[in-house]
Amino acid sequence: MECVAAGLLLAGAVTEPTATAAKKKNKGTVKKEAFGKTTDGKAVEAYTLVNKNGLKARIITYGAMLTEMHVPDKNGKFGDIVLGHDKLEDYLDGHSYFGVTTGRVANRIAGGKFTLDGSEYTLATNNDPNHLHGGTEGIDKKVWSARVSRSKAGPAVAFSYTSPNGEEGYPGNLKMKVTYTLTNNDELRIDYVATTDKATPVNLTNHAYWNLAGKGTILDHILQINADHYTPVDATGIPTGEILKVDDVMSFIKPTAIGVRIDKLAGEPGGYDHNYCLNKKEFGSLGLAARVEESTSGRVLEIFTTEPGIQFYTGNFLDGTEVGKGGWKYEFRNALCLETQHFPDSINHPQFPNTVLRPKQKYTQTTIHKFITK
Ligand code: BGC
């Protein structure tokens, strides 16, 4: 089933006075389509947002996941710059968190354990010995409900999911809403809101894998990260608790090609997989976190966020076995992730910015991905 028209479109809603339609057309469109069914028969839908300049983002209700992001290159030619799959079955079979909304708590929690208000909680451990990205069946594997949302900024869709008390071991019924807006200023803006009925840790992010050339290696992408410090980790990826100054290998304060020093990072398979502590005057304020540039396409991605940290991950586990959209075999160093977040395992490190959400409080996070060409 497919339904297209000017302005905000829902299945069946196609008649609009011409003048209004034309006015709305200038603001972009939203198209809703069926995208298959989960193994337990739940219908999954895809929402395609197109802004007034023709940029296109596609998000599916399974995992509130960004599956496509089409932006122009320096010659005006559009290309899809995120990794993903063509069919729902390929996501259901298991994948590398391509474009998903990650949580309830993104990244790792040590040993899947934490104590909050005197109670000890045990979470699902899916990344031996730790809890990763919300557990065995995190919010990236749930079917969210979707609603086209009216925004002056551009076409938008809001995705909602309530994670019940005890899901993956977390306390509290956690109500989440994630709104994707493709603004007419060529930004993909993601706004997250959550509330709970019992104190619980929350750390939501998006796990898009970017390749600004739309193919090949990311080692020649030029990266800048606005961070003087990072949180070093142990052999299982858990922060040691220290906040260290970036050294020569870790620093992206000056724009630097990703491949220049990557081989100096020890580990198997090696590469960047680190949380950077963003330089910020004030927590919660929207500031530039990172900038990525790719010279052959002329594409530039700037990321702004309200979050205190960003996980820079060079897709270290891509090894050519996962075949994605259009038959592209995702090889080592074919993509990078820049996940805006609170620091990993914050619940076990009181010195890190707080991730505990309490009843009557509202969790919010905003991240803006701005697309430019040069
Ligand atoms: C983590 C990696 C993990 C990857 C899974 C990243 O956010 O930092 O350690 O392997 O997600 O896709």
Side-chain angles (χ1 to χ4, degrees):
M1 190 259 312
E2 187 172 310
C3 170
V4 195
L8 303 175
L9 272 204
L10 279 175
V14 282
T15 32
E16 298 208 40
T18 323
T20 322
K23 212 167 145 198
K24 283 183 177 172
K25 192 171 178 189
N26 208 22
K27 292 182 180 166
T29 57
V30 179
K31 179 168 92 172
K32 173 184 164 186
E33 290 162 285
F35 196 69
K37 284 194 173 155
T38 59
T39 42
D40 56 352
K42 290 198 183 93
V44 173
E45 280 139 9
Y47 285 80
T48 305
L49 316 186
V50 180
N51 80 356
K52 70 167 194 198
N53 303 320
L55 272 71
K56 182 163 96 180
R58 197 169 204 228
I59 304 113
I60 63 170
T61 52
Y62 181 70
M65 183 195 306
L66 176 70
T67 58
E68 292 176 34
M69 186 69 237
H70 300 258
V71 304
D73 67 9
K74 60 187 175 195
N75 301 315
K77 190 167 174 255
F78 279 77
D80 185 2
I81 58 165
V82 291
L83 270 52
H85 289 290
D86 289 317
K87 298 192 305 291
L88 180 64
E89 296 75 64
D90 297 330
Y91 289 115
L92 299 177
D93 281 351
H95 69 112
S96 304
Y97 297 95
F98 293 142
V100 298
T101 298
T102 315
R104 298 180 174 198
V105 173
N107 210 281
R108 294 179 176 76
I109 293 182
K113 288 202 182 299
F114 65 90
T115 301
L116 181 57
D117 295 341
S119 301
E120 188 177 304
Y121 295 96
T122 302
L123 306 175
T125 48
N126 56 327
N127 187 246
D128 198 24
N130 302 316
H131 174 86
L132 175 69
H133 293 328
T136 315
E137 203 178 308
I139 59 174
D140 61 293
K141 296 179 187 67
K142 303 292 180 187
V143 179
W144 295 53
S145 61
R147 208 186 157 134
V148 174
S149 136
R150 294 197 176 256
S151 161
K152 284 194 183 130
V157 181
F159 296 85
S160 303
Y161 175 68
T162 299
S163 171
N165 179 39
E167 190 165 73
E168 298 296 302
Y170 286 105
N173 292 295
L174 184 70
K175 260 189 176 172
M176 287 163 278
K177 184 158 118 177
V178 180
T179 307
Y180 285 83
T181 308
L182 185 59
T183 77
N184 290 320
N185 292 327
D186 297 347
E187 300 154 331
L188 180 69
R189 176 183 172 122
I190 312 179
D191 291 288
Y192 305 77
V193 177
T195 52
T196 183
D197 54 7
K198 192 169 182 190
T200 192
V202 185
N203 188 12
L204 304 178
T205 190
N206 181 277
H207 204 301
Y209 283 68
W210 303 98
N211 183 315
L212 298 190
K215 59 175 185 223
T217 179
I218 48 85
L219 291 178
D220 50 7
H221 284 41
I222 311 285
L223 173 68
Q224 189 172 13
I225 303 180
N226 182 18
D228 290 323
H229 295 89
Y230 75 107
T231 49
V233 290
D234 69 14
T236 72
I238 295 295
T240 60
E242 299 156 287
I243 293 184
L244 293 188
K245 199 154 171 60
V246 289
D247 60 13
D248 282 353
V249 178
M250 293 298 296
S251 178
F252 284 94
I253 285 285
K254 287 197 197 124
T256 309
I258 291 170
V260 174
R261 303 157 309 187
I262 199 166
D263 291 336
K264 299 209 167 115
L265 288 162
E268 195 50 55
Y272 292 96
D273 188 5
H274 297 84
N275 170 65
Y276 284 77
C277 313
L278 295 170
N279 297 333
K280 276 197 179 232
K281 288 203 185 90
E282 227 185 296
F283 280 150
S285 62
L286 203 54
L288 180 70
R291 186 174 194 277
V292 195
E293 212 178 296
E294 198 282 316
S295 64
T296 59
S297 63
R299 293 192 181 106
V300 178
L301 164 66
E302 286 179 350
I303 301 183
F304 300 82
T305 189
T306 52
E307 288 300 281
I310 194 164
Q311 186 81 15
F312 171 41
Y313 173 59
T314 39
N316 303 337
F317 295 101
L318 296 179
D319 60 4
T321 50
E322 202 163 345
V323 181
K325 286 179 277 183
W328 179 3
K329 267 191 190 176
Y330 295 138
E331 304 281 358
F332 200 47
R333 308 297 182 227
N334 272 181
L336 65 107
C337 302
L338 287 161
E339 305 151 61
T340 55
Q341 61 181 9
H342 272 57
F343 305 170
D345 199 29
S346 288
I347 189 70
N348 291 311
H349 296 280
Q351 74 276 31
F352 290 172
N354 172 51
T355 52
V356 176
L357 179 72
R358 296 185 176 276
K360 300 204 171 84
Q361 294 180 335
K362 187 157 130 188
Y363 165 93
T364 58
Q365 103 99 310
T366 296
T367 296
I368 295 176
H369 305 83
K370 166 107 183 132
F371 306 103
I372 315 167
T373 50
K374 60 172 273 189

